[in-house]
Amino acid sequence: YCAVPGHARFSVTLSLNTTFLKGARGGVLIATGTLDGVDGRAASTTGEVRDGDGVLCATGQATFLYAPGSERKEGVPIAQRPFKITTGR
């Protein structure tokens, strides 16, 4: 998230772990995520998914590496993104 218009915060995924605990059978799913900490340019996060009854269906942890400048709340101008975004085609 970046509140500055025309700016963004870029990162790459260093690690991603997901644990599926219960299958969801449709209906409402609620996902929440938390930024647990930032050490330099590395950000640690956790998240969970619950069904409409509040039953925990999945948990996850991830570590991201901010691109230079993106660790700042104001981010960087979108035109100066640090890597090329491709579609894989």
Side-chain angles (χ1 to χ4, degrees):
Y1 171 78
C2 184
V4 178
H7 284 216
R9 299 176 78 188
F10 298 96
S11 65
V12 295
T13 304
L14 295 179
S15 67
L16 176 62
N17 297 300
T18 305
T19 302
F20 298 99
L21 303 168
K22 181 178 186 293
R25 301 274 184 225
V28 174
L29 295 175
I30 300 167
T32 58
T34 303
L35 175 62
D36 298 318
V38 178
D39 182 11
R41 290 180 28 222
S44 300
T45 63
T46 54
E48 65 180 31
V49 177
R50 294 182 179 269
D51 67 15
D53 295 325
V55 176
L56 186 62
C57 297
T59 62
Q61 300 93 21
T63 303
F64 301 95
L65 181 66
Y66 284 119
S70 291
E71 70 277 12
R72 298 188 311 264
K73 289 183 181 180
E74 66 272 15
V76 296
I78 291 174
Q80 295 177 6
R81 63 179 168 256
F83 41 81
K84 183 178 178 182
I85 299 171
T86 62
T87 62
R89 291 184 212 169

